[in-house]
Amino acid sequence: MIVLFTDFGVGSPYMGQMRAVLARSAPAVPVIDLFADAPLCEPRLSAYLLAAYCEEFPAGTVFLCVVDPGVGGARRACVLRADERWYVGPDNGLLNVVAMRARELRWMDLEWRPERLSASFHGRDLFAPVAAELAQGRIPAARAQPADARVDRSWPQELPRILYVDRFGNAMTGVRAERCGAQTLLRVHASTLARAHTFSSVAPGEAFWYANANGLVEIAVNRGRADLALGLTVGDTVQIIPPV
Amino acid sequence: MIVLFTDFGVGSPYMGQMRAVLARSAPAVPVIDLFADAPLCEPRLSAYLLAAYCEEFPAGTVFLCVVDPGVGGARRACVLRADERWYVGPDNGLLNVVAMRARELRWMDLEWRPERLSASFHGRDLFAPVAAELAQGRIPAARAQPADARVDRSWPQELPRILYVDRFGNAMTGVRAERCGAQTLLRVHASTLARAHTFSSVAPGEAFWYANANGLVEIAVNRGRADLALGLTVGDTVQIIPPV
Amino acid sequence: MIVLFTDFGVGSPYMGQMRAVLARSAPAVPVIDLFADAPLCEPRLSAYLLAAYCEEFPAGTVFLCVVDPGVGGARRACVLRADERWYVGPDNGLLNVVAMRARELRWMDLEWRPERLSASFHGRDLFAPVAAELAQGRIPAARAQPADARVDRSWPQELPRILYVDRFGNAMTGVRAERCGAQTLLRVHASTLARAHTFSSVAPGEAFWYANANGLVEIAVNRGRADLALGLTVGDTVQIIPPV
């Protein structure tokens, strides 16, 4: 399975162009759109989102990851194997949280280059062909690197910022709920929120936080929109307040 | 064929996560996105939209239906077989119009539960695995129920409200055009609209109603946007005025 | 491969309905969404976008093209074979730039009609079934026409207007960069822009134009949004200023 994780925009032609490459090069492999609206031009925020969502995918899944504001510049390209899944994308931090958390990790600098390499669309020209190869059990020309030299372990394990707001107005953060207790509070802007099990656990109109279906701390309002009620947007900082 | 009908939001990761489940459990079955932007958290409005769109799909199609504001609460889950098609989703009214209109109906309360059942995403954890089973000819653990006890026949056959506004600004209602005559008028807010065959039947800028390609009464403006011209939004009430 | 090129709106049910037709009629053929948000009701603008994007697709690709404001009226339907690719859609100019630029061209007026032909959705009822046939090597009932009589060669080879604005705020035009030199300037509204190789070639915040990954002149701002910075929207006219 190949999973697309990008900031290209939902329905953008760039998704279709990458899918066309995959359909030609790996016709038997299913392709799944996971995120096309990852935090725009923000590899660091996107990195925490990717790390939270990749875990439910089976061994052998190939993640084609493109949040790549430096495309055409000096940044390297890389291939990771982490906990039996593959990741291909720019070496700009986008894969850093996956790498930090991996129990088993192989890091490779991608050396293969296509005949046609545009300045602005490595997703189509470089990363998609590589993903197609990986999904079919072939490893393209790449140079293994010591992970110690490539993974930036100075990043925090949790990112207390808002990573994504969905159609319901729910706001996901980069904090894993398993790190929090039942009494943990969340502070965002002027509001302090208690934890609830799910929407129907609180009164209509009430704001709360809960462990979402991917294990992230998410801010919501029962029968309402947390983004509008609390003034939330991608990138906003939240504060996790452990019980006293 | 598995058809996705949800209010998750176009391009939301939740679609991708459900598709990943389907790709693993029913790899040979094509999956079609029909609606990802059904009326938000409105099972009743969505029910009329689903009933209008399902009819063109072939026997054996499985509809994976998730407009589920009560997820994690007390609402049941159900599987329907109606006129040779399958439907799986929450028992919150979403499937009620399909059931009301069915010539042949089997209603089952879903008893199967997955090992992992999140509080907020039964689409992924419960309904998608069941849809994959149904699409491959297997019926998951479910208890047959008399339809009389489960189908709420007090709902009107037609819903004179706006269910959907498309990119063109056309507004679909929950009224079937076959119930209306050529002289039927439609009143919405301060406007009274006559029926036309199609866009090019009226002058540019003129508002009208017509039988859309799925048999619903739809409000439109030739070379214009009905939503902006008439101030229409999902949920608005319309009035059908039969000829005197 | 069947490629969808429409103005239906990203995530619209109309895409799903066309895909359902294709899944039944051509189950083994991959289907790619390229554009679902081509210029709304603008076949002429869309024609330049289609012509720029089709070139990278392999021989045998079938383009299912629907930007069709005149649906249900007098406009004809047509099938083109151009440079070993197929195109099916309304005869309203949408295919004219592909035809103008073709080295090898066959033009056919489509004569086949389905049993059910709605007044407003020929994409589903007429064009999708024809695309499915073409993708499987069958040509539906059509009457060959002399291209001279059907192709409007009075259209300019380049369209100096904005055709598309992406999620990054980059604005594509209908001008091919290969027609421009390194010193060519672009004027849009009150701004005059120089050419750059790619984003990282200019300072953050600086506006420029560059040859995008499909060979079109595109307006961008490094680490910013050209659409907001320069007030750009689809349809705006630009001026290409060759070096003196």
Side-chain angles (χ1 to χ4, degrees):
Chain A
M1 192 185 306
I2 295 171
V3 173
L4 307 184
F5 182 99
T6 78
D7 67 347
F8 289 169
V10 172
S12 96
Y14 315 128
M15 307 300 290
Q17 291 180 283
M18 293 206 311
R19 278 183 168 268
V21 170
L22 299 174
R24 296 181 70 181
S25 308
V29 178
V31 180
I32 303 285
D33 286 323
L34 184 58
F35 282 93
D37 54 355
L40 193 76
C41 297
E42 291 275 11
R44 189 180 180 118
L45 269 61
S46 297
Y48 286 89
L49 201 58
L50 173 63
Y53 273 79
C54 66
E55 290 186 12
E56 74 187 83
F57 288 87
T61 299
V62 178
F63 290 84
L64 171 45
C65 307
V66 196
V67 176
D68 195 11
V71 63
R75 68 106 185 86
R76 283 175 290 211
C78 61
V79 169
L80 254 64
R81 184 175 168 89
D83 298 335
E84 305 189 66
R85 302 180 195 98
W86 291 100
Y87 302 82
V88 55
D91 183 9
N92 63 2
L94 178 58
L95 307 182
N96 198 54
V97 181
V98 167
M100 277 171 54
R101 293 184 184 165
R103 293 175 299 278
E104 164 257 317
L105 179 68
R106 283 165 59 197
W107 182 291
M108 285 168 273
D109 284 353
L110 189 56
E111 299 192 318
W112 178 81
R113 290 294 179 274
E115 284 184 33
R116 172 186 75 164
L117 182 62
S118 63
S120 58
F121 196 3
H122 289 195
R124 176 191 67 188
D125 299 338
L126 177 59
F127 301 129
V130 168
E133 288 296 287
L134 292 167
Q136 293 171 106
R138 294 187 293 268
I139 300 183
R143 184 185 299 259
Q145 302 288 333
D148 289 349
R150 284 284 188 273
V151 180
D152 184 350
R153 296 196 184 276
S154 72
W155 288 31
Q157 279 292 331
E158 313 293 321
L159 190 69
R161 295 176 66 183
I162 292 173
L163 304 184
Y164 191 78
V165 177
D166 71 14
R167 190 189 183 211
F168 305 96
N170 303 331
M172 288 177 203
T173 73
V175 178
R176 287 176 291 177
E178 65 185 16
R179 301 294 182 101
C180 303
Q183 306 304 319
T184 297
L185 301 175
L186 184 149
R187 190 159 180 84
V188 57
H189 303 323
S191 307
T192 303
L193 310 177
R195 182 173 188 161
H197 179 58
T198 188
F199 291 76
S200 49
S201 316
V202 303
E206 190 174 331
F208 62 102
W209 77 263
Y210 78 116
N212 79 6
N214 276 73
L216 292 177
V217 167
E218 181 167 304
I219 304 167
V221 167
N222 186 23
R223 303 197 193 176
R225 296 191 63 98
D227 60 342
L228 300 184
L230 306 176
L232 309 179
T233 194
V234 169
D236 286 358
T237 298
V238 303
Q239 192 184 347
I240 302 295
I241 308 172
V244 189
Chain B
M1 192 184 306
I2 296 172
V3 174
L4 307 185
F5 183 99
T6 79
D7 67 347
F8 289 168
V10 173
S12 96
Y14 314 129
M15 307 302 289
Q17 291 181 283
M18 294 206 311
R19 278 182 168 268
V21 170
L22 299 174
R24 296 182 70 181
S25 308
V29 178
V31 181
I32 303 285
D33 286 323
L34 184 58
F35 281 93
D37 54 355
L40 193 75
C41 298
E42 291 276 10
R44 189 180 179 117
L45 270 61
S46 297
Y48 286 89
L49 201 58
L50 173 63
Y53 273 79
C54 65
E55 289 186 11
E56 75 188 84
F57 287 87
T61 299
V62 177
F63 290 84
L64 171 44
C65 307
V66 196
V67 176
D68 195 12
V71 63
R75 68 103 186 88
R76 284 175 290 212
C78 60
V79 169
L80 254 63
R81 184 175 167 87
D83 299 334
E84 304 188 65
R85 301 180 195 98
W86 290 101
Y87 302 82
V88 54
D91 183 9
N92 63 3
L94 179 58
L95 306 182
N96 198 55
V97 182
V98 167
M100 277 170 55
R101 292 184 185 165
R103 292 175 299 278
E104 164 257 316
L105 179 68
R106 282 164 59 196
W107 182 290
M108 286 168 273
D109 285 353
L110 188 56
E111 299 192 318
W112 178 80
R113 290 293 179 277
E115 284 184 32
R116 172 185 75 164
L117 181 62
S118 63
S120 58
F121 196 3
H122 289 196
R124 176 191 69 186
D125 298 338
L126 177 59
F127 300 129
V130 168
E133 288 296 287
L134 292 167
Q136 293 172 106
R138 294 187 293 269
I139 299 184
R143 185 185 297 259
Q145 301 289 334
D148 288 350
R150 284 284 187 272
V151 180
D152 184 350
R153 296 196 184 276
S154 71
W155 287 31
Q157 280 292 331
E158 313 294 321
L159 190 69
R161 295 176 65 182
I162 292 173
L163 304 184
Y164 192 78
V165 177
D166 70 15
R167 190 189 183 212
F168 304 96
N170 303 331
M172 287 177 205
T173 73
V175 179
R176 286 176 290 179
E178 65 185 16
R179 301 295 182 101
C180 303
Q183 306 304 319
T184 297
L185 300 175
L186 185 150
R187 191 160 180 81
V188 58
H189 303 324
S191 306
T192 304
L193 310 177
R195 182 173 188 161
H197 180 57
T198 188
F199 291 75
S200 49
S201 317
V202 304
E206 189 174 331
F208 63 101
W209 77 264
Y210 79 117
N212 80 5
N214 276 73
L216 292 177
V217 167
E218 182 167 305
I219 303 167
V221 167
N222 185 22
R223 304 198 192 175
R225 295 191 62 98
D227 60 342
L228 300 183
L230 307 176
L232 309 179
T233 194
V234 169
D236 287 357
T237 298
V238 304
Q239 193 184 347
I240 302 295
I241 308 173
V244 189
Chain C
M1 193 184 305
I2 296 172
V3 173
L4 307 185
F5 183 100
T6 78
D7 66 348
F8 290 169
V10 173
S12 96
Y14 314 129
M15 307 301 289
Q17 291 181 284
M18 293 205 311
R19 278 182 168 268
V21 170
L22 298 174
R24 295 182 70 181
S25 308
V29 178
V31 181
I32 303 285
D33 287 322
L34 184 58
F35 282 94
D37 54 355
L40 193 75
C41 297
E42 291 276 9
R44 188 179 179 119
L45 270 61
S46 296
Y48 286 88
L49 201 58
L50 173 63
Y53 273 79
C54 66
E55 290 186 10
E56 75 188 83
F57 287 87
T61 299
V62 178
F63 291 84
L64 170 46
C65 307
V66 196
V67 176
D68 195 11
V71 62
R75 68 103 185 89
R76 283 175 290 211
C78 61
V79 169
L80 253 64
R81 185 175 168 87
D83 298 335
E84 304 190 64
R85 302 180 196 98
W86 291 100
Y87 302 82
V88 54
D91 182 9
N92 64 2
L94 179 58
L95 307 182
N96 199 55
V97 181
V98 167
M100 276 171 55
R101 293 185 184 165
R103 293 174 299 278
E104 164 256 318
L105 179 68
R106 282 165 59 196
W107 182 290
M108 285 168 273
D109 285 353
L110 188 57
E111 298 192 317
W112 179 79
R113 290 294 179 275
E115 284 184 30
R116 172 186 74 163
L117 182 62
S118 63
S120 58
F121 196 3
H122 289 197
R124 177 191 68 188
D125 299 338
L126 177 59
F127 300 129
V130 168
E133 288 296 288
L134 292 167
Q136 293 172 107
R138 295 187 292 268
I139 299 183
R143 185 184 297 259
Q145 301 289 333
D148 289 349
R150 285 284 186 272
V151 181
D152 184 349
R153 297 196 184 275
S154 72
W155 288 31
Q157 280 292 331
E158 313 294 320
L159 190 68
R161 295 176 66 181
I162 292 174
L163 304 184
Y164 192 78
V165 177
D166 70 15
R167 190 189 183 211
F168 304 96
N170 303 331
M172 287 176 205
T173 73
V175 179
R176 286 176 291 178
E178 64 185 16
R179 302 294 182 101
C180 303
Q183 306 304 319
T184 297
L185 301 175
L186 185 150
R187 191 160 180 82
V188 57
H189 303 323
S191 306
T192 303
L193 310 177
R195 183 173 188 162
H197 179 59
T198 187
F199 291 75
S200 49
S201 317
V202 304
E206 189 175 331
F208 62 101
W209 77 264
Y210 77 117
N212 80 6
N214 277 73
L216 292 177
V217 167
E218 181 167 306
I219 304 167
V221 168
N222 185 23
R223 303 198 193 175
R225 296 190 62 99
D227 60 341
L228 300 183
L230 306 176
L232 309 179
T233 194
V234 169
D236 287 358
T237 298
V238 303
Q239 193 184 348
I240 303 295
I241 308 173
V244 189

